[in-house]
Coordinates of all heavy atoms in Angstrom, one line a residue:
M711 N 105.9 -77.9 97.2 CA 105.7 -77.3 96.0 C 106.3 -75.9 96.1 O 106.1 -75.1 97.0 CB 104.2 -77.3 95.7 CG 103.9 -76.5 94.4 SD 102.1 -76.8 94.0 CE 102.2 -76.4 92.3
A712 N 106.9 -75.4 95.0 CA 107.5 -74.0 95.0 C 106.6 -73.2 94.5 O 105.6 -73.4 93.6 CB 108.7 -74.0 94.1
A713 N 106.6 -71.9 94.9 CA 105.7 -70.8 94.5 C 106.5 -69.8 93.6 O 107.8 -69.6 93.9 CB 105.1 -70.1 95.6
T714 N 105.9 -69.1 92.7 CA 106.5 -68.1 92.0 C 106.2 -66.7 92.5 O 105.1 -66.4 92.9 CB 106.1 -68.1 90.5 OG1 106.4 -69.4 90.0 CG2 106.7 -67.0 89.6
V715 N 107.2 -65.9 92.7 CA 107.0 -64.5 93.2 C 107.7 -63.5 92.2 O 108.7 -63.8 91.8 CB 107.8 -64.4 94.6 CG1 107.7 -63.0 95.1 CG2 107.3 -65.3 95.6
T716 N 107.0 -62.5 91.9 CA 107.4 -61.5 91.0 C 107.7 -60.3 91.8 O 107.0 -59.9 92.6 CB 106.3 -61.2 90.0 OG1 105.9 -62.4 89.2 CG2 106.8 -60.2 88.9
I717 N 108.9 -59.8 91.5 CA 109.4 -58.5 92.2 C 109.9 -57.5 91.0 O 110.3 -57.9 90.0 CB 110.5 -58.8 93.2 CG1 111.8 -59.4 92.5 CG2 110.0 -59.7 94.3 CD1 113.0 -59.5 93.4
R718 N 109.8 -56.3 91.4 CA 110.3 -55.2 90.6 C 111.7 -54.8 91.1 O 111.8 -54.6 92.4 CB 109.4 -54.1 90.5 CG 108.0 -54.5 89.8 CD 107.2 -53.2 89.7 NE 105.9 -53.5 89.4 CZ 105.4 -53.9 88.1 NH1 106.3 -53.9 87.1 NH2 104.2 -54.2 87.9
L719 N 112.7 -54.7 90.2 CA 114.1 -54.2 90.7 C 114.4 -53.1 89.9 O 114.1 -52.9 88.7 CB 115.0 -55.4 90.4 CG 114.8 -56.7 91.0 CD1 116.0 -57.7 90.5 CD2 115.0 -56.6 92.5
E720 N 115.0 -52.2 90.6 CA 115.6 -51.0 89.9 C 116.7 -51.5 88.8 O 117.4 -52.5 89.0 CB 116.2 -49.9 90.8 CG 115.3 -49.4 91.7 CD 115.9 -48.4 92.7 OE1 117.1 -48.1 92.6 OE2 115.2 -47.9 93.6
D721 N 117.0 -50.7 87.8 CA 117.8 -51.1 86.8 C 119.3 -51.5 87.3 O 119.9 -52.5 86.9 CB 118.0 -50.0 85.7 CG 116.6 -49.9 84.9 OD1 115.9 -50.8 84.9 OD2 116.6 -48.8 84.2
T722 N 119.7 -50.7 88.2 CA 121.0 -50.9 88.8 C 121.1 -52.2 89.6 O 122.1 -53.0 89.4 CB 121.5 -49.8 89.7 OG1 120.5 -49.5 90.7 CG2 121.7 -48.4 89.0
L723 N 120.1 -52.5 90.4 CA 120.0 -53.7 91.0 C 120.0 -55.0 90.2 O 120.7 -56.0 90.3 CB 118.9 -53.8 92.1 CG 118.8 -54.9 93.0 CD1 120.1 -55.1 93.8 CD2 117.7 -54.8 94.1
Q724 N 119.1 -54.9 89.1 CA 119.0 -55.8 88.1 C 120.3 -56.1 87.5 O 120.8 -57.3 87.2 CB 117.9 -55.5 87.1 CG 117.9 -56.3 85.8 CD 117.6 -57.9 86.1 OE1 117.2 -58.2 87.0 NE2 118.2 -58.6 85.2
A725 N 121.1 -55.1 87.1 CA 122.4 -55.2 86.5 C 123.4 -55.9 87.4 O 124.1 -56.8 86.9 CB 122.9 -53.8 86.0
R726 N 123.4 -55.5 88.6 CA 124.2 -56.2 89.6 C 123.9 -57.7 89.7 O 124.8 -58.5 89.7 CB 124.2 -55.6 91.0 CG 124.8 -54.2 91.1 CD 124.5 -53.5 92.3 NE 125.0 -54.3 93.5 CZ 124.6 -54.0 94.8 NH1 123.7 -53.2 95.1 NH2 125.2 -54.7 95.7
L727 N 122.7 -58.0 89.7 CA 122.2 -59.3 89.9 C 122.7 -60.1 88.6 O 123.2 -61.3 88.8 CB 120.7 -59.4 90.1 CG 120.1 -60.8 90.1 CD1 120.6 -61.6 91.4 CD2 118.5 -60.7 90.2
A728 N 122.5 -59.6 87.5 CA 122.8 -60.3 86.2 C 124.3 -60.5 86.1 O 124.8 -61.6 85.7 CB 122.4 -59.4 85.0
R729 N 125.2 -59.5 86.6 CA 126.6 -59.6 86.6 C 127.0 -60.7 87.6 O 127.9 -61.6 87.2 CB 127.3 -58.3 86.9 CG 127.5 -57.3 85.8 CD 128.4 -56.2 86.1 NE 128.1 -55.5 87.4 CZ 127.3 -54.4 87.3 NH1 126.7 -54.0 86.3 NH2 127.0 -53.8 88.5
L730 N 126.4 -60.8 88.6 CA 126.9 -61.7 89.6 C 126.4 -63.1 89.2 O 127.2 -64.1 89.4 CB 126.3 -61.4 91.0 CG 126.8 -62.2 92.1 CD1 128.3 -62.2 92.3 CD2 126.0 -61.8 93.4
S731 N 125.2 -63.2 88.6 CA 124.8 -64.5 88.1 C 125.8 -65.0 87.0 O 126.2 -66.2 87.1 CB 123.4 -64.3 87.5 OG 123.0 -65.5 86.9
T732 N 126.2 -64.2 86.1 CA 127.2 -64.7 85.0 C 128.5 -64.9 85.7 O 129.1 -66.0 85.4 CB 127.3 -63.5 84.0 OG1 126.1 -63.2 83.5 CG2 128.3 -63.9 82.9
A733 N 128.9 -64.1 86.6 CA 130.3 -64.4 87.2 C 130.4 -65.7 88.0 O 131.5 -66.3 88.0 CB 130.7 -63.1 88.1
T734 N 129.3 -66.0 88.7 CA 129.3 -67.2 89.5 C 128.8 -68.4 88.9 O 128.9 -69.5 89.4 CB 128.4 -66.9 90.8 OG1 127.0 -66.7 90.5 CG2 129.1 -65.7 91.6
G735 N 128.1 -68.3 87.8 CA 127.5 -69.4 87.1 C 126.2 -69.9 87.8 O 125.8 -71.0 87.6
R736 N 125.7 -69.1 88.6 CA 124.4 -69.4 89.3 C 123.3 -68.6 88.8 O 123.4 -67.6 88.1 CB 124.6 -69.1 90.9 CG 125.7 -69.8 91.5 CD 126.0 -69.4 92.9 NE 124.8 -69.6 93.7 CZ 124.5 -69.2 94.8 NH1 125.4 -68.4 95.5 NH2 123.5 -69.6 95.6
T737 N 122.1 -69.2 88.9 CA 120.9 -68.5 88.4 C 120.5 -67.3 89.2 O 120.9 -67.3 90.3 CB 119.7 -69.5 88.3 OG1 119.3 -69.8 89.6 CG2 120.1 -70.8 87.4
R738 N 119.9 -66.4 88.5 CA 119.4 -65.2 89.3 C 118.5 -65.7 90.4 O 118.5 -65.2 91.5 CB 118.6 -64.2 88.3 CG 119.6 -63.6 87.4 CD 119.0 -62.6 86.4 NE 118.0 -63.4 85.6 CZ 117.0 -62.9 85.0 NH1 116.8 -61.6 85.0 NH2 116.2 -63.6 84.4
S739 N 117.7 -66.7 90.1 CA 116.7 -67.2 91.1 C 117.4 -67.7 92.3 O 117.1 -67.4 93.4 CB 115.8 -68.3 90.6 OG 114.9 -67.8 89.6
D740 N 118.5 -68.5 92.1 CA 119.3 -69.1 93.3 C 119.9 -67.9 94.1 O 119.8 -68.0 95.3 CB 120.4 -69.9 92.8 CG 120.0 -71.2 92.2 OD1 119.0 -71.7 92.6 OD2 120.8 -72.0 91.5
L741 N 120.4 -66.9 93.4 CA 120.9 -65.7 94.2 C 119.9 -65.1 94.9 O 120.1 -64.7 96.1 CB 121.7 -64.8 93.2 CG 123.0 -65.4 92.6 CD1 123.5 -64.4 91.4 CD2 124.0 -65.7 93.4
V742 N 118.8 -64.8 94.4 CA 117.7 -64.1 95.0 C 117.2 -64.9 96.2 O 116.9 -64.4 97.3 CB 116.6 -63.6 94.1 CG1 115.4 -63.1 94.7 CG2 117.1 -62.6 93.0
R743 N 117.0 -66.2 96.0 CA 116.5 -67.1 97.0 C 117.5 -67.0 98.2 O 117.0 -67.0 99.3 CB 116.4 -68.5 96.4 CG 115.6 -69.4 97.3 CD 115.2 -70.8 96.6 NE 116.0 -71.0 95.4 CZ 115.5 -71.0 94.2 NH1 114.3 -70.5 93.9 NH2 116.2 -71.3 93.1
E744 N 118.7 -67.1 97.9 CA 119.7 -67.2 99.0 C 119.8 -65.9 99.7 O 119.8 -65.8 101.0 CB 121.2 -67.5 98.5 CG 122.2 -67.6 99.6 CD 123.6 -67.8 98.9 OE1 123.7 -68.6 98.1 OE2 124.6 -67.2 99.5
A745 N 119.7 -64.7 99.0 CA 119.7 -63.4 99.6 C 118.4 -63.3 100.5 O 118.5 -62.7 101.6 CB 119.8 -62.3 98.6
L746 N 117.3 -63.7 100.1 CA 116.1 -63.6 100.8 C 116.1 -64.4 102.0 O 115.7 -64.1 103.2 CB 114.9 -64.0 99.9 CG 113.5 -64.0 100.6 CD1 113.3 -62.6 101.1 CD2 112.4 -64.5 99.6
E747 N 116.7 -65.7 101.9 CA 116.8 -66.6 103.1 C 117.7 -66.0 104.1 O 117.3 -65.9 105.3 CB 117.4 -68.0 102.7 CG 116.4 -68.8 102.0 CD 117.1 -70.2 101.4 OE1 118.3 -70.3 101.6 OE2 116.3 -70.9 100.9
R748 N 118.8 -65.3 103.7 CA 119.7 -64.7 104.8 C 119.0 -63.5 105.4 O 119.1 -63.3 106.6 CB 120.9 -64.3 104.0 CG 121.9 -65.3 103.7 CD 123.1 -64.9 102.9 NE 123.9 -65.9 102.5 CZ 125.2 -66.1 102.8 NH1 125.7 -65.3 103.7 NH2 125.9 -67.1 102.5
Q749 N 118.3 -62.7 104.6 CA 117.6 -61.5 105.1 C 116.6 -61.9 106.1 O 116.4 -61.2 107.1 CB 117.1 -60.6 104.0 CG 116.5 -59.2 104.4 CD 117.7 -58.5 105.2 OE1 118.9 -58.5 104.9 NE2 117.3 -57.6 106.1
L750 N 115.8 -62.9 105.7 CA 114.7 -63.3 106.6 C 115.3 -63.8 107.9 O 114.7 -63.5 109.0 CB 113.8 -64.3 105.9 CG 112.9 -63.8 104.8 CD1 112.2 -64.9 104.1 CD2 112.0 -62.7 105.3
A751 N 116.4 -64.6 107.8 CA 117.0 -65.1 109.1 C 117.5 -64.0 109.9 O 117.2 -64.0 111.2 CB 118.1 -66.0 108.7
L752 N 118.0 -63.0 109.3 CA 118.6 -61.9 110.1 C 117.4 -61.1 110.8 O 117.5 -60.8 112.0 CB 119.3 -60.9 109.2 CG 119.9 -59.6 109.8 CD1 120.8 -59.9 110.9 CD2 120.5 -58.7 108.8
I753 N 116.3 -60.9 110.0 CA 115.1 -60.2 110.6 C 114.6 -61.0 111.8 O 114.3 -60.5 112.9 CB 114.1 -59.9 109.6 CG1 114.6 -58.9 108.5 CG2 112.7 -59.5 110.2 CD1 113.7 -58.7 107.3
E754 N 114.4 -62.4 111.6 CA 114.0 -63.2 112.6 C 114.9 -63.1 113.9 O 114.4 -63.1 115.0 CB 113.8 -64.6 112.1 CG 112.7 -64.8 111.2 CD 112.7 -66.0 110.4 OE1 113.7 -66.8 110.4 OE2 111.7 -66.4 109.8
F755 N 116.2 -63.2 113.7 CA 117.2 -63.1 114.7 C 117.1 -61.8 115.5 O 117.0 -61.8 116.8 CB 118.6 -63.3 114.2 CG 119.6 -63.0 115.3 CD1 119.9 -64.1 116.1 CD2 120.4 -61.9 115.3 CE1 120.9 -63.9 117.1 CE2 121.4 -61.7 116.2 CZ 121.6 -62.7 117.2
V756 N 117.1 -60.7 114.8 CA 116.8 -59.4 115.5 C 115.6 -59.4 116.3 O 115.5 -58.8 117.5 CB 116.9 -58.2 114.4 CG1 116.6 -57.0 115.0 CG2 118.4 -58.2 113.9
S757 N 114.6 -59.9 115.7 CA 113.2 -59.9 116.4 C 113.4 -60.8 117.7 O 112.9 -60.3 118.8 CB 112.2 -60.5 115.6 OG 111.0 -60.6 116.2
A758 N 113.9 -62.0 117.6 CA 114.1 -62.8 118.8 C 115.0 -62.1 119.9 O 114.6 -62.1 121.1 CB 114.6 -64.1 118.4
R759 N 116.0 -61.5 119.4 CA 116.9 -60.8 120.3 C 116.2 -59.7 121.0 O 116.4 -59.5 122.2 CB 118.2 -60.2 119.5 CG 119.1 -59.4 120.3 CD 120.2 -59.0 119.6 NE 121.4 -59.6 120.1 CZ 122.6 -59.5 119.5 NH1 122.7 -58.8 118.4 NH2 123.6 -60.0 120.1
R760 N 115.4 -58.9 120.4 CA 114.7 -57.8 121.0 C 113.7 -58.3 122.0 O 113.5 -57.7 123.0 CB 114.0 -57.0 119.8 CG 113.3 -55.7 120.3 CD 112.6 -55.0 119.1 NE 113.6 -54.6 118.2 CZ 113.6 -54.9 116.9 NH1 112.6 -55.6 116.4 NH2 114.6 -54.5 116.0
K761 N 113.1 -59.4 121.7 CA 112.1 -60.0 122.6 C 112.8 -60.6 124.0 O 112.2 -60.6 125.0 CB 111.2 -61.1 122.0 CG 110.3 -60.7 121.0 CD 109.6 -61.8 120.3 CE 108.8 -61.2 119.2 NZ 108.1 -62.3 118.4
T762 N 114.0 -61.2 123.7 CA 114.7 -61.8 124.9 C 115.6 -60.8 125.7 O 115.9 -61.2 126.7 CB 115.4 -63.1 124.5 OG1 116.4 -62.6 123.5 CG2 114.5 -64.1 123.9
R763 N 115.8 -59.7 125.1 CA 116.8 -58.7 125.8 C 116.5 -58.4 127.1 O 117.3 -58.4 128.0 CB 116.9 -57.5 124.8 CG 117.9 -56.5 125.4 CD 118.0 -55.4 124.7 NE 119.5 -55.1 124.5 CZ 120.1 -54.5 123.4 NH1 119.4 -54.1 122.5 NH2 121.4 -54.4 123.5
P764 N 115.3 -58.1 127.5 CA 114.8 -57.7 128.8 C 115.3 -58.9 129.8 O 115.7 -58.6 130.9 CB 113.4 -57.5 128.8 CG 113.1 -57.1 127.4 CD 114.1 -57.9 126.6
F765 N 115.0 -60.1 129.5 CA 115.3 -61.2 130.3 C 116.8 -61.4 130.5 O 117.2 -61.7 131.6 CB 114.6 -62.5 129.7 CG 113.2 -62.4 129.4 CD1 112.7 -62.2 128.2 CD2 112.3 -62.5 130.6 CE1 111.3 -62.2 128.0 CE2 110.9 -62.4 130.4 CZ 110.4 -62.2 129.1
A766 N 117.5 -61.3 129.5 CA 119.0 -61.3 129.5 C 119.5 -60.2 130.4 O 120.4 -60.5 131.2 CB 119.6 -61.3 128.1
E767 N 119.0 -59.0 130.2 CA 119.5 -57.9 131.0 C 119.3 -58.1 132.5 O 120.1 -57.8 133.4 CB 118.9 -56.6 130.5 CG 119.5 -56.2 129.1 CD 118.8 -54.9 128.6 OE1 117.8 -54.4 129.2 OE2 119.3 -54.4 127.7
R768 N 118.1 -58.8 132.8 CA 117.8 -59.0 134.2 C 118.8 -60.0 135.0 O 119.0 -59.9 136.1 CB 116.4 -59.7 134.4 CG 115.4 -58.7 134.6 CD 114.1 -59.3 134.9 NE 113.2 -58.7 133.9 CZ 112.2 -59.4 133.3 NH1 112.1 -60.7 133.5 NH2 111.5 -58.8 132.3
V769 N 119.4 -60.9 134.2 CA 120.4 -61.8 134.8 C 121.8 -61.3 134.4 O 122.8 -62.0 134.8 CB 120.3 -63.2 134.2 CG1 118.9 -63.8 134.6 CG2 120.4 -63.3 132.7
G770 N 122.0 -60.1 134.0 CA 123.3 -59.5 133.8 C 124.0 -59.8 132.5 O 125.2 -59.5 132.3
W771 N 123.3 -60.2 131.6 CA 123.9 -60.5 130.2 C 123.6 -59.2 129.3 O 122.5 -59.0 128.9 CB 123.2 -61.7 129.5 CG 123.5 -63.0 130.2 CD1 124.4 -63.3 131.2 CD2 122.9 -64.3 129.9 NE1 124.4 -64.6 131.5 CE2 123.4 -65.2 130.8 CE3 121.9 -64.6 129.0 CZ2 123.0 -66.5 130.7 CZ3 121.4 -65.9 129.0 CH2 122.1 -66.9 129.9
L772 N 124.7 -58.4 129.2 CA 124.5 -57.1 128.5 C 125.2 -57.1 127.1 O 124.8 -56.3 126.3 CB 125.1 -56.0 129.3 CG 124.4 -56.0 130.8 CD1 125.2 -54.8 131.5 CD2 123.0 -55.7 130.7
T773 N 126.1 -58.1 126.9 CA 126.7 -58.2 125.6 C 126.6 -59.6 125.1 O 126.3 -60.6 125.7 CB 128.2 -57.7 125.7 OG1 128.9 -58.7 126.5 CG2 128.3 -56.4 126.4
D774 N 127.0 -59.7 123.8 CA 127.1 -61.1 123.2 C 128.2 -61.9 123.9 O 128.0 -63.2 124.1 CB 127.5 -61.0 121.7 CG 126.3 -60.4 120.9 OD1 125.2 -60.5 121.3 OD2 126.7 -60.0 119.7
D775 N 129.3 -61.3 124.4 CA 130.3 -62.1 125.1 C 129.7 -62.6 126.4 O 130.1 -63.7 126.8 CB 131.5 -61.1 125.3 CG 132.3 -60.9 124.1 OD1 132.2 -61.7 123.2 OD2 133.0 -59.8 124.0
D776 N 128.9 -61.9 127.1 CA 128.3 -62.3 128.2 C 127.5 -63.7 128.0 O 127.5 -64.6 128.8 CB 127.3 -61.3 128.9 CG 128.0 -60.1 129.5 OD1 129.2 -60.1 129.7 OD2 127.3 -59.0 129.4
V777 N 126.7 -63.7 126.9 CA 126.0 -64.8 126.6 C 126.9 -66.0 126.3 O 126.7 -67.1 126.7 CB 124.9 -64.5 125.5 CG1 124.2 -65.9 125.0 CG2 124.0 -63.5 125.9
F778 N 127.9 -65.7 125.4 CA 128.8 -66.7 125.0 C 129.5 -67.4 126.2 O 129.7 -68.5 126.3 CB 129.8 -66.1 124.1 CG 130.8 -67.1 123.5 CD1 130.5 -68.0 122.5 CD2 132.2 -67.1 124.0 CE1 131.4 -68.9 122.0 CE2 133.1 -68.1 123.5 CZ 132.6 -69.0 122.5
D779 N 129.9 -66.5 127.2 CA 130.7 -67.0 128.3 C 129.7 -67.9 129.1 O 130.2 -68.9 129.6 CB 131.1 -65.8 129.2 CG 132.3 -65.1 128.5 OD1 133.0 -65.7 127.7 OD2 132.5 -63.9 129.0
A780 N 128.4 -67.5 129.2 CA 127.5 -68.3 130.0 C 127.2 -69.7 129.4 O 126.9 -70.7 130.1 CB 126.2 -67.5 130.2
V781 N 127.3 -69.9 128.0 CA 126.9 -71.1 127.4 C 128.1 -71.9 127.0 O 128.0 -73.0 126.6 CB 126.0 -70.9 126.2 CG1 124.7 -70.2 126.6 CG2 126.7 -70.1 125.1
S782 N 129.3 -71.3 127.2 CA 130.5 -72.1 126.7 C 131.1 -72.8 127.8 O 130.9 -72.7 129.1 CB 131.5 -71.1 126.3 OG 131.2 -70.4 125.2

């Protein structure tokens, strides 16, 4: 079941959202939902990275390339 969330937007953000909705033929709800999903995923990723960083550094993984090389 879907829930309804009410948010307040500044006029400029509301205008940008309306323009993009019209330009893409997508609803404002779809655009907001997609943006929220992306932002939450980013926050979760950053949090997981912060928690695992000490373990990665202990084994010498200091960059994304280090991790990529190890798993490729």
Side-chain angles (χ1 to χ4, degrees):
M711 175 172 204
T714 300
V715 176
T716 302
I717 61 170
R718 297 185 190 281
L719 301 176
E720 293 180 7
D721 291 342
T722 55
L723 187 55
Q724 167 60 24
R726 288 174 61 195
L727 180 60
R729 275 194 305 273
L730 189 57
S731 174
T732 300
T734 62
R736 298 175 64 194
T737 66
R738 291 178 302 159
S739 290
D740 284 342
L741 294 172
V742 170
R743 195 171 15 258
E744 181 180 321
L746 181 58
E747 286 174 357
R748 287 175 185 244
Q749 187 61 30
L750 292 176
L752 177 61
I753 292 168
E754 290 166 344
F755 174 78
V756 169
S757 176
R759 178 180 242 174
R760 190 174 297 122
K761 290 176 185 174
T762 59
R763 179 177 230 152
F765 302 105
E767 288 175 349
R768 263 187 241 137
V769 296
W771 294 348
L772 304 177
T773 68
D774 290 340
D775 287 336
D776 294 335
V777 175
F778 183 76
D779 290 342
V781 298
S782 297

